[in-house]
Amino acid sequence: MTSNAAESVLVGVDFTAEWLRVLLTTEEGRPVHEGAWALPPLEDEDAWSWEVGGRIAALFADEGQRRSALAIVVAAPGSVEPVAGRLLRCAAQPAWDGLSVVDALRRHIGAPIATENRIITSLLAECWSGAAAGSDDVLYVSLRGEPSAALLVGGRPLRGAHFEAGALAAMPTLAPGAPLTDEDAEAVVGLLADAAALLDPEAVVIDAEPQHLERLVSLLQRVLDEVAPETQAVAAELGERAAVIGAVRMASTLAFEGQRKP
């Protein structure tokens, strides 16, 4: 027998140029539903709105269970202006430059909605419940696809004057399935060691393809022992789910702040 009462959920959304991942949890953090889908070509904001907004809205009636959103946070690829809720630049999908993520979803769903750069949400997830749990000063580096980084300082993420903090233009791109060459390994480790020596984080969290991860962490730690001995190199624990986990945790905060407003 299906209850008439609607279940209130927190919604975390993570999307790239190719994939969409959605995580629903209760207010206490218990997972309710998680799914991932390949995205078709979405040439403009209207197409993105119907595909992503429609997919989320469909989950609110999944298996006959009526649901309502307490809050939604979207982890987006590229530079994000979180106050306006816009994706400013998406290198993997230039057609999405300027995409109004929040407005596009509000056409389908009435709930508090916010958006953040997906590398920042991954950083926050690893600091909340992953490899750097409890740390307030962390450099997070993703070497999956376009190399990107995010920095937590004093418990707050840095976004930069133009919301472009974290770009790693000089970092080599590591192809999935390809062996890690000595040249690429030295380049990655050299850049990260220099960054750690400059920024003095508690930890450098590396997310990379499994076949590359152990070697990179080990090599980086050897160099850090010389140039930044108080900094630990650690492997990311949450992998590809980090961004959506961080998004749903941010949705919890957004929902709480909304409940406090008169």
Side-chain angles (χ1 to χ4, degrees):
M1 180 175 180
T2 301
S3 171
N4 290 324
E7 180 181 31
S8 297
V9 295
L10 301 168
V11 183
V13 181
D14 173 35
F15 75 97
T16 68
E18 296 87 20
W19 288 93
L20 170 69
R21 187 185 295 271
V22 180
L23 173 62
L24 309 181
T25 75
T26 64
E27 198 168 3
E28 296 75 29
R30 176 178 60 83
V32 172
H33 182 95
E34 183 171 0
W37 303 269
L39 285 177
L42 302 172
E43 67 278 5
D44 56 26
E45 186 172 306
D46 284 342
W48 187 92
S49 173
W50 281 107
E51 177 66 27
V52 177
R55 179 73 68 177
I56 297 168
L59 293 177
F60 291 167
D62 184 53
E63 298 176 351
Q65 171 66 61
R66 294 194 304 117
R67 296 178 178 130
S68 63
L70 293 165
I72 301 171
V73 171
V74 182
S79 55
V80 172
E81 209 286 67
V83 175
R86 290 194 304 124
L87 176 57
L88 300 178
R89 183 190 64 83
C90 180
Q93 181 59 277
W96 293 347
D97 290 358
L99 175 67
S100 295
V101 173
V102 170
D103 288 344
L105 290 185
R106 280 182 177 153
R107 298 171 199 168
H108 301 271
I109 305 164
I113 303 174
T115 188
E116 183 58 273
N117 171 271
R118 68 187 304 269
I119 303 302
I120 288 180
T121 65
S122 297
L123 160 72
L124 294 174
E126 291 288 353
C127 293
W128 283 325
S129 58
S135 299
D136 288 331
D137 295 86
V138 176
L139 175 61
Y140 173 88
V141 181
S142 173
L143 300 177
R144 297 177 187 266
E146 181 183 10
S148 302
L151 183 66
L152 194 73
V153 177
R156 295 179 177 272
L158 295 186
R159 296 183 175 87
H162 306 97
F163 305 100
E164 294 283 359
L168 296 174
M171 186 72 74
T173 299
L174 306 181
L180 180 65
T181 67
D182 291 343
E183 182 180 3
D184 282 347
E186 290 174 4
V188 169
V189 169
L191 287 167
L192 295 184
D194 285 347
L198 174 66
L199 301 170
D200 188 29
E202 296 171 76
V204 178
V205 179
I206 302 177
D207 181 43
E209 298 294 334
Q211 68 268 29
H212 301 153
L213 192 53
E214 183 178 352
R215 182 182 176 196
L216 287 173
V217 170
S218 176
L219 289 173
L220 178 59
Q221 189 61 62
R222 291 183 203 171
V223 180
L224 290 179
D225 287 342
E226 298 181 5
V227 302
E230 299 300 318
T231 299
Q232 295 297 308
V234 294
E237 293 182 1
L238 303 177
E240 294 181 341
R241 298 181 65 242
V244 78
I245 291 172
V248 85
R249 287 290 299 270
M250 291 181 71
S252 176
T253 302
L254 182 62
F256 174 73
E257 292 174 347
Q259 292 167 1
R260 291 195 304 169
K261 293 179 180 179

